[in-house]
């Protein structure tokens, strides 16, 4: 595995793969890698000729500076994990490389960035759009792999690729979960044992809501019931629990088996904010 720190180091390697007509796969990460990230890597290894993984904790997507400071740094372990599975390249730029000057550009993704995560984390998707655009320009992959757990981010990146005409195919990989169902996340490392146990309310509520919708209950009735369930979990504070169209992120007030839909949830467990989602009609 070759470590690269700047785009100029990557350029001759990229050209070499291009001349051999080889397909390049790209997995962007912020480190603190878990099996969910490695699922994306595995998908790239299986479907492309060369796989590059980036590790960069992007400051512009954190609306809470404290959250940025506390983001786990496990670079040495991350590099070992990537090497062990056979990754070809790892791109580890520093902030000065990615942002030589303060970014003034503002990306507006319309409705999708004003609801749910966009509403609770203003500026977050602008930061995501900026860094993903920069990485796409630097790496120029044929295929980029993203996880379904960040469903709203996926919708934003699809819009980015479409509107800016990036010649990149997007591959969305299903959410990897712990044995008890909790969605894998770097933030899980910061949960206390009690918070970790109570965090299961997220997946339990998603599964319960899906079951009740298919049993014929009205969505608003289901939502109210889930909100009451969260009140019974001492360390949990619900931000939202919504039925949405996964492409547009418009809320749906009624469930229809004929319409694409997913349920999205976000909640605090103590000071740690977790998100999850469950496709109802893919």
């Amino acid at each position: 595995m070759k470590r690269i720190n700047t785009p100029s180091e990557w350029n001759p390697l990229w050209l070499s793969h291009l001349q051999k007509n080889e397909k390049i796969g790209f997995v962007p990460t912020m480190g603190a890698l878990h099996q969910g990230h490695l699922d994306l890597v595995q998908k790239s290894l299986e479907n492309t000729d060369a796989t590059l993984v980036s590790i960069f904790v992007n400051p512009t997507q954190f609306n809470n500076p404290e959250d940025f400071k506390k983001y786990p740094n496990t670079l040495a372990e991350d590099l070992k994990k990537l090497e062990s599975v056979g990754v070809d390249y790892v791109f580890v730029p520093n902030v000065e490389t990615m942002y030589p000057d303060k970014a003034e550009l503002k990306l507006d993704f319309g409705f999708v960035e004003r609801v749910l995560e966009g509403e609770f984390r203003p500026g977050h998707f602008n930061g995501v759009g900026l860094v993903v655009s920069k990485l796409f320009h630097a790496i120029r992959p044929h295929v980029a792999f993203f996880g379904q757990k960040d469903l709203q981010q996926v919708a934003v990146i699809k819009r980015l690729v479409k509107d800016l005409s990036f010649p990149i195919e997007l591959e969305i990989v299903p959410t990897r979960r712990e044995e008890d169902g909790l969605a894998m996340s770097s933030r899980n490392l910061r949960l206390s044992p009690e918070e970790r146990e109570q965090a299961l309310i997220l997946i339990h509520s998603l599964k319960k809501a899906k079951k009740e919708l298919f049993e014929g209950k009205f969505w608003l009735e289901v939502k109210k019931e889930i909100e009451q369930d969260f009140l019974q979990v001492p360390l949990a504070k619900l931000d939202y629990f919504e039925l949405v169209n996964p492409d547009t992120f418009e809320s749906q007030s009624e469930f229809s088996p004929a319409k694409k839909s997913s349920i999205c949830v976000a909640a605090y467990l103590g000071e740690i904010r977790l998100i999850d989602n469950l496709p109802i009609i893919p």
Side-chain angles (χ1 to χ4, degrees):
M1 183 176 75
K2 185 172 178 60
R3 176 171 171 171
I4 299 156
N5 298 304
T6 65
S8 60
E9 292 173 55
W10 169 242
N11 289 339
L13 299 165
W14 172 80
L15 187 58
S16 169
H17 288 292
L18 208 64
Q19 287 169 336
K20 292 184 229 168
N21 202 28
E22 291 179 336
K23 189 186 280 190
I24 298 165
F26 175 44
V27 181
T29 81
M30 293 208 301
L33 302 182
H34 50 67
Q35 190 56 49
H37 295 109
L38 297 180
D39 284 354
L40 305 183
V41 170
Q42 191 58 42
K43 199 81 170 171
S44 179
L45 291 169
E46 290 169 2
N47 292 281
T48 66
D49 300 300
T51 292
L52 182 149
V53 177
S54 66
I55 297 176
F56 177 66
V57 183
N58 176 39
T60 65
Q61 71 189 66
F62 287 84
N63 58 313
N64 180 349
E66 282 304 307
D67 212 14
F68 174 62
K69 285 179 192 170
K70 291 178 181 175
Y71 196 86
N73 180 346
T74 57
L75 182 59
E77 292 169 39
D78 293 343
L79 294 175
K80 283 179 191 170
K81 286 177 184 176
L82 295 177
E83 187 150 32
S84 73
V85 296
V87 165
D88 300 286
Y89 307 99
V90 60
F91 180 48
V92 190
N94 59 25
V95 174
E96 290 71 30
T97 297
M98 295 302 294
Y99 296 98
D101 299 298
K102 184 185 175 188
E104 299 291 351
L105 179 69
K106 302 292 180 195
L107 297 173
D108 188 332
F109 293 96
F111 179 81
V112 72
E113 78 160 71
R114 310 205 204 296
V115 296
L116 304 192
E117 288 304 286
E119 182 182 351
F120 282 89
R121 301 175 70 188
H124 171 67
F125 288 122
N126 173 66
V128 168
L130 275 174
V131 78
V132 170
S133 295
K134 283 171 172 282
L135 288 167
F136 280 174
H137 281 303
I139 307 305
R140 290 155 291 169
H142 297 93
V143 193
F145 298 82
F146 291 88
Q148 185 192 296
K149 186 182 83 72
D150 295 300
L151 191 65
Q152 195 167 358
Q153 176 177 280
V154 165
V156 161
I157 290 164
K158 283 180 178 176
R159 174 57 55 191
L160 184 79
V161 167
K162 185 177 179 183
D163 286 0
L164 295 183
S165 303
F166 279 109
I168 295 170
E169 180 188 336
L170 296 180
E171 183 88 27
I172 311 307
V173 180
T175 303
R176 167 71 76 146
R177 299 185 178 277
E178 305 284 0
E179 284 186 17
D180 57 10
L182 186 68
M184 287 191 178
S185 168
S186 306
R187 292 171 186 263
N188 294 351
L189 298 173
R190 295 169 54 195
L191 296 170
S192 71
E194 196 176 2
E195 288 164 350
R196 171 66 180 77
E197 186 180 344
Q198 293 188 25
L200 292 176
I201 180 68
L202 273 78
I203 185 58
H204 290 166
S205 63
L206 289 170
K207 286 181 174 179
K208 177 180 178 179
K210 179 174 181 176
K211 178 174 177 286
E212 291 188 344
L213 286 175
F214 278 108
E215 286 172 355
K217 274 196 179 181
F218 291 112
W219 165 247
L220 293 179
E221 186 184 350
V222 172
K223 180 180 175 180
K224 194 170 181 181
E225 197 177 308
I226 296 299
E227 288 171 345
Q228 289 302 311
D229 289 349
F230 267 88
L231 292 175
Q232 307 308 309
V233 180
L235 298 177
K237 178 179 172 290
L238 183 66
D239 265 356
Y240 59 75
F241 193 83
E242 295 291 339
L243 182 70
V244 302
N245 176 307
D247 295 327
T248 65
F249 267 75
E250 290 176 302
S251 289
Q252 298 176 349
S253 57
E254 293 180 0
F255 170 66
S256 165
K259 287 183 185 174
K260 237 182 182 186
S261 59
S262 293
I263 304 174
C264 295
V265 60
Y268 279 92
L269 276 300
E271 294 182 357
I272 312 303
R273 189 172 182 276
L274 301 178
I275 62 171
D276 201 352
N277 67 82
L278 195 62
I280 307 303
I281 304 294

